Amino acid sequence: MNRIHNFSAGPGVLPIDVLNSTKNAVVDFNNLGMSVMEMSHRSKEIVEVFDVAKSNCLKLMNLDKNDYTVLFLGGGASLQFAMVPYNFLKNESDYINTGEWSRKAIKESKFIGETNVIASSEDSNYNFIPKDYNVNSNSDYLHYTSNNTIFGTRFFEIPDSKNIPLICDMSSDIFSRKLDFSKFDLIYAGAQKNMGPAGATLVVIKNSYLETANETGLSMLLYKTHSKADSMYNTPPVLPVYVIGETLKWIENIGGLEEIENLNNKKSNLLYNAIDSKVGFYKGSVIDKIDRSIMNITWNLPTEELEEKFMKEATKSNLSGLKGHRSIGGIRASIYNACPMESVEALVEFMENFYSNNK
Ligand code: PMP
């Protein structure tokens, strides 16, 4: 099979090895004569799939199972925008607004209680990461989005939450680099960029913080409902969790987060150099280099017509998914963990040729 160079922002590219093991499991799981999709989620085999995915997740994050709980939930990262304040907002909440997804999280929090936007780059169409903010000492948590999928920015440093619980939406850069995950009280991420297909959301919660979550309310929206039932309060997204487990094994096998970070830095540097070397033709959309995402690379060309032409010709060259999000336009290349170096090299070669023919 001829794999396309896939730069889709999400659902995004997955490792071919993972697709192949999934293909087998979809038809005949572990030689059991049935598909992984045809089995009870309470069977010992599927419980084991969940247990292995959870323990691999904690291993990659260097966290202890006595300190953190791993959940796999439905509803996408968007449901977490609501569940976080529903469970933890008692006095007030602090948010850093760095893009469309932060804004959506803030909207849900405002619906539930007092919500402070302590820093924002909205006025400049989110082309930087705010560095100055004062966290309110009375807040139940500080929430931020580690990587802004649409705008191509990321937090290089974990924000200092000044002893307020720290919550992060890592949907578009989870497992892309080494981090001190013990700084977080709650991390969530939709699977469909760096882990698997859409349908499962990973939630990792510090146990001491989980204890403070609301006890009563709508059952499906309480973290405690899901933690008490080991993510099996209702029928969970079994196939996506299977794929997540396979992807985490793949990360481990290629050398863990250290090696993944190394590869991601190489890929993103190659692409940013290609943009920066053509001053006046390609223009990166993020102001400060330190804020540049290593997952979603965004840039513009001198005119919208040239951008259209760029995308049309790119498609013909087997380069797919490069159209920028409708809210900022331009070009966006999403180079998630599973995007091979060869795809980035093919894109850079195309960019060189396009520049020579159109400058
Ligand atoms: N947060 C971020 C950073 C995202 O990129 C996305 C989706 N692109 C979401 C949240 C929303 O995720 P979902 O579609 O799983 O609800």
Side-chain angles (χ1 to χ4, degrees):
M1 173 189 162
N2 192 12
R3 292 270 281 168
I4 203 161
H5 297 298
N6 183 354
F7 300 101
S8 166
V13 59
L14 289 170
I16 187 70
D17 292 349
V18 169
L19 295 177
N20 278 324
S21 57
T22 304
K23 183 173 79 178
N24 294 336
V26 162
V27 180
D28 184 4
F29 178 54
N30 282 359
N31 298 321
L32 291 168
M34 56 184 155
S35 165
V36 69
M37 301 188 297
E38 296 175 313
M39 299 172 64
S40 164
H41 52 293
R42 302 197 190 279
S43 62
K44 81 173 188 332
E45 290 84 1
I46 299 298
V47 169
E48 194 184 325
V49 165
F50 275 61
D51 287 347
V52 169
K54 284 180 205 166
S55 70
N56 285 346
C57 169
L58 290 175
K59 192 168 167 209
L60 283 173
M61 290 183 161
N62 203 16
L63 296 174
D64 193 300
K65 73 173 184 331
N66 295 318
D67 301 329
Y68 281 83
T69 293
V70 179
L71 304 174
F72 295 107
L73 307 180
S78 299
L79 184 59
Q80 297 308 305
F81 298 163
M83 278 179 72
V84 163
Y86 190 73
N87 282 264
F88 293 110
L89 174 46
K90 287 150 193 169
N91 300 308
E92 50 189 297
S93 62
D94 283 5
Y95 281 76
I96 303 177
N97 179 9
T98 52
E100 183 70 10
W101 304 110
S102 311
R103 243 174 16 85
K104 287 192 167 157
I106 291 164
K107 184 176 164 211
E108 304 298 75
S109 176
K110 282 190 173 158
F111 190 71
I112 289 182
E114 195 178 328
T115 303
N116 314 305
V117 178
I118 60 165
S120 173
S121 49
E122 187 167 9
D123 287 348
S124 62
N125 206 23
Y126 300 114
N127 62 3
F128 71 101
I129 294 289
K131 313 281 182 313
D132 291 325
Y133 36 80
N134 291 317
V135 182
N136 291 295
S137 56
N138 201 32
S139 276
D140 296 301
Y141 59 83
L142 168 65
H143 176 286
Y144 80 106
T145 315
S146 53
N147 183 78
N148 299 283
T149 327
I150 297 175
F151 299 94
T153 57
R154 62 101 179 239
F155 279 79
F156 182 71
E157 307 265 14
I158 299 173
D160 180 359
S161 67
K162 309 271 184 217
N163 298 325
I164 298 297
L166 183 62
I167 297 187
C168 185
D169 172 2
M170 285 194 194
S171 293
S172 53
D173 69 346
I174 186 118
F175 300 128
S176 67
R177 61 179 178 139
K178 272 188 90 163
L179 279 181
D180 182 356
F181 291 97
S182 72
K183 288 194 169 165
F184 297 92
D185 293 83
L186 191 152
I187 294 164
Y188 63 88
Q192 67 271 23
K193 293 152 201 321
N194 257 344
M195 292 184 288
T201 310
L202 171 71
V203 181
V204 181
I205 318 182
K206 194 183 262 182
N207 289 338
S208 55
Y209 192 52
L210 178 59
E211 277 169 28
T212 72
N214 283 335
E215 295 277 349
T216 54
L218 299 169
S219 312
M220 275 295 282
L221 300 186
L222 296 174
Y223 288 114
K224 283 185 176 166
T225 303
H226 297 290
S227 66
K228 279 180 199 146
D230 264 337
S231 298
M232 297 217 182
Y233 174 72
N234 69 326
T235 318
V238 173
L239 182 65
V241 174
Y242 171 82
V243 183
I244 292 173
E246 292 298 296
T247 306
L248 300 187
K249 273 187 231 160
W250 173 82
I251 295 177
E252 194 69 54
N253 288 342
I254 62 171
L257 294 188
E258 205 165 313
E259 184 54 19
I260 281 280
E261 177 169 8
N262 192 9
L263 292 168
N264 285 332
N265 284 339
K266 278 190 189 146
K267 288 187 288 179
S268 55
N269 282 337
L270 189 65
L271 199 40
Y272 282 124
N273 286 340
I275 294 168
D276 293 341
S277 66
K278 304 291 179 279
V279 181
F281 192 72
Y282 296 128
K283 185 173 180 298
S285 19
V286 180
I287 304 177
D288 204 342
K289 286 192 177 168
I290 196 88
D291 297 338
R292 283 173 156 183
S293 170
I294 58 168
M295 298 274 96
N296 310 100
I297 308 334
T298 51
W299 72 99
N300 288 87
L301 274 74
T303 62
E304 278 183 26
E305 290 69 38
L306 269 177
E307 287 170 351
E308 279 298 319
K309 190 173 179 211
F310 181 97
M311 269 154 338
K312 261 197 193 133
E313 292 184 14
T315 307
K316 282 189 200 142
S317 300
N318 222 21
L319 306 162
S320 145
L322 288 165
K323 193 171 168 53
H325 190 269
R326 57 195 178 279
S327 59
I328 71 162
I331 317 286
R332 169 176 56 175
S334 298
I335 51 170
Y336 295 121
N337 287 347
C339 173
M341 180 58 110
E342 300 80 70
S343 290
V344 180
E345 285 166 352
L347 174 57
V348 166
E349 192 186 330
F350 170 80
M351 288 167 73
E352 295 282 342
N353 291 336
F354 190 84
Y355 168 76
S356 305
N357 297 336
N358 295 279
K359 64 178 186 246

